[in-house]
Amino acid sequence: MPQQATPQSFDHVLSSMCTEPHPAARDAAERFLASNPGDPATYETVSELESRAVELLATVAEHPDPGDAAGYVTSGGTEANVQAVRAARNRTESSDPNVVVPESGHFSFTKAAELLDVELRTVPLDGDFRANLDATAAAIDEDTALVVGVAGTTEYGRVDPIPELCELAHQADAYCHVDAAWGGFLLPFTDHAWSFGDAPIDSLTVDPHKFGQAPAPAGGLLAREQATLDALAIETPYLETRSQATLTGTRSGAGVAGAVAAMEALWPEGYRKAADRAMANAEWLAAALSDRGYAVVDPDLPLVAAQLPEETFTALRETGWKISRTASDELRVVCMPHVTREMLQAFVRDLDRVGGSEDA
Ligand SMILES: *Cc1c(COP(=O)(O)O)cnc(C)c1O
């Protein structure tokens, strides 16, 4: 009898932006495995759930009228970002469009630019890893279709100055997109300005399958107005519905149902608790690393980066810790909901052991 494969546990995972799904989300995902929201006239139940998902996501993202927000459950942040670029490109009057993205922008924008044949203009950051406004203003011209701000960067968890970026975009008749793929379920509990409620942004990425605690594949694309989604629609001759705005055709209903179940179970108090706990853990780890003499990038959201000698990093990986590095080779620990204080204490004990043996 072939042995059944079992997935690895999360107990050593410090590098991932995914986490253990909420039990209700796992159940819902299993129930809806064999449904296809890509064909909404046939799979009506999951299609109704998707409208609910969009409304809940729009509530999280502080849309002034969540029931009126446009959007859908994507395969992830990558698809949402590609689609935001595509919508802007389809709506621009420029024949040679460009997209302005901070250097901290996720690599999905590189994919978008390549796929859609738009020029990607990356702009430098300020001293605290956020988009530099002067550099952004200098990069924007009459061919700019979209300006992107990141709310929760992948490497340092930083939040770009979203209202200012949005103003620069709109002054140039460009659209403004916010990438809150990871940060979207943390930022409602902070003072940051990042959402539809904080600035007249046009579209936003927020992923239930990251801090939203839904099983993958569940990303989210939201738009302030239906016109953004309409710009993505193509005709679908053989389906019962006449058009489709998504990038994928057949999609997993598991993503949609899991996202709704997670948000109904956790919004807002469950997410607030998870965010507070994650932030306290990040601050604890940052202090522990700093006490030991390592240079730490002060965490703003629950993501800690610190300079560790190469040998120490390698030794920790060999001990079994799943850790990753920033482009500047810093250790990067993402304090997701599955990351407990006990895990971090065990990690620091191992660090003391392997780091200590280096000195001896
Ligand atoms: C994770 C992430 C993405 C990509 O999302 P996927 O779900 O992996 O496709 C995009 N942007 C940011 C800021 C992210 O953290």
Side-chain angles (χ1 to χ4, degrees), residues 224-238:
R224 184 178 293 276
E225 296 174 347
Q226 183 59 38
T228 307
L229 267 271
D230 291 345
L232 295 169
I234 52 96
E235 284 179 32
T236 50
Y238 68 85

Side-chain angles (χ1 to χ4, degrees), residues 17 76-78 81 106 108 150 152 154 179 181-182 207 209-210:
M17 288 192 151
T78 298
N81 287 341
H106 187 262
S108 46
V150 189
T154 318
D179 182 3
W182 176 70
D207 283 357
H209 70 204
K210 288 186 174 169

